[in-house]
Amino acid sequence: MIRKKKAEKLSEKWGYRIKAPAKRVRIFKAIELGRATENYDDSHLLGEDGYGSVYKGVLPDNTQVAVKKPREADKIQINQEFHRELAIVSQVNHINVVKILGLRLETKVPLLVYEFVFNGTLSHYIHNKSSQVLKTWKNCLRIAAGIADALGYFHSLASPPIIHGDVKTVNILSGENYIAKVADFGASVLISPDQTTLASKV
């Protein structure tokens, strides 16, 4: 109960009431993620997206995580991007979508903590000539089907529907047995059935 009240108090700072997400995700302290990423050392940098930088972290129980740390920017812009991504990932539970594990709110800018997907990206497989992953038809079909399943879920089963807005090879992660996982929801939007104009613009 104390943890839930703390989460709600911190979330009010960013104008977002954490209801269902507070029951499913962990609220991390700054010191926890600092230790996990060795204070966001460059050796832990996994890459960058529209929201900021992504760092690999290792928690005390050896759980590996990916921490999205936003760039220093206008607070309003950060707030909007944070709300948008959290609103989407907190309601999605799909094998082909990267899973959110927690948040860090007691800071100048909020952070999102995701599962660590360890097999790289589709972009790496395509552009790395030494990679053998896409040499087999079975792997190609598994990855393509996974991406299709995720997008089909976004468009037809999620309520309201989700438009990802930035589907590209660097945002397709590869998990165990090369299961595709769609990531990076910074450009995504939730679309109600009557918002056809917005959907076409995206």
Side-chain angles (χ1 to χ4, degrees):
M1 180 63 69
I2 295 175
R3 179 180 167 186
K4 184 177 179 180
K5 287 183 177 179
K6 183 179 180 182
E8 292 178 347
K9 184 177 180 181
L10 288 170
S11 67
E12 287 173 358
K13 172 183 176 182
W14 294 99
Y16 184 88
R17 291 289 291 183
I18 299 179
K19 297 178 182 178
K23 299 177 182 179
R24 298 198 304 267
V25 302
R26 176 176 171 182
I27 305 301
F28 287 91
K29 295 181 179 179
I31 191 170
E32 290 181 280
L33 297 184
R35 288 173 177 169
T37 60
E38 296 185 354
N39 292 318
Y40 306 97
D41 188 83
D42 287 345
S43 63
H44 287 253
L45 183 64
L46 295 174
E48 297 185 346
D49 60 22
Y51 186 73
S53 302
V54 183
Y55 293 85
K56 179 182 177 180
V58 182
L59 302 178
D61 64 357
N62 289 324
T63 298
Q64 298 182 73
V65 297
V67 183
K68 289 190 75 170
K69 185 179 182 183
R71 299 183 183 88
E72 293 293 333
D74 182 85
K75 181 179 177 180
I76 295 177
Q77 179 185 347
I78 292 175
N79 200 13
Q80 291 174 340
E81 293 178 353
F82 173 73
H83 285 183
R84 181 168 56 244
E85 184 154 2
L86 180 59
I88 291 171
V89 298
S90 64
Q91 72 169 342
V92 172
N93 184 16
H94 193 282
I95 190 173
N96 298 115
V97 179
V98 66
K99 183 180 179 180
I100 187 170
L101 300 179
L103 316 167
R104 193 192 95 181
L105 296 170
E106 50 183 348
T107 178
K108 291 182 179 180
V109 290
L111 276 71
L112 297 171
V113 182
Y114 286 93
E115 64 174 322
F116 175 69
V117 184
F118 57 87
N119 263 339
T121 68
L122 180 56
S123 175
H124 174 75
Y125 296 154
I126 292 173
H127 299 290
N128 184 355
K129 295 181 179 179
S130 64
S131 174
Q132 299 297 309
V133 175
L134 300 182
K135 301 295 184 181
T136 68
W137 186 237
K138 183 178 180 180
N139 285 344
C140 290
L141 282 177
R142 181 185 291 114
I143 293 171
I147 299 168
D149 283 347
L151 295 179
Y153 171 82
F154 293 153
H155 298 166
S156 302
L157 299 178
S159 181
I162 300 166
I163 303 298
H164 186 282
D166 195 21
V167 178
K168 55 188 179 184
T169 56
V170 295
N171 290 336
I172 306 299
L173 308 182
S174 179
E176 187 176 2
N177 295 322
Y178 305 111
I179 293 176
K181 289 181 177 285
V182 178
D184 190 1
F185 294 86
S188 300
V189 291
L190 298 169
I191 303 293
S192 62
D194 61 339
Q195 288 181 285
T196 54
T197 302
L198 179 59
S200 65
K201 286 182 179 179
V202 173

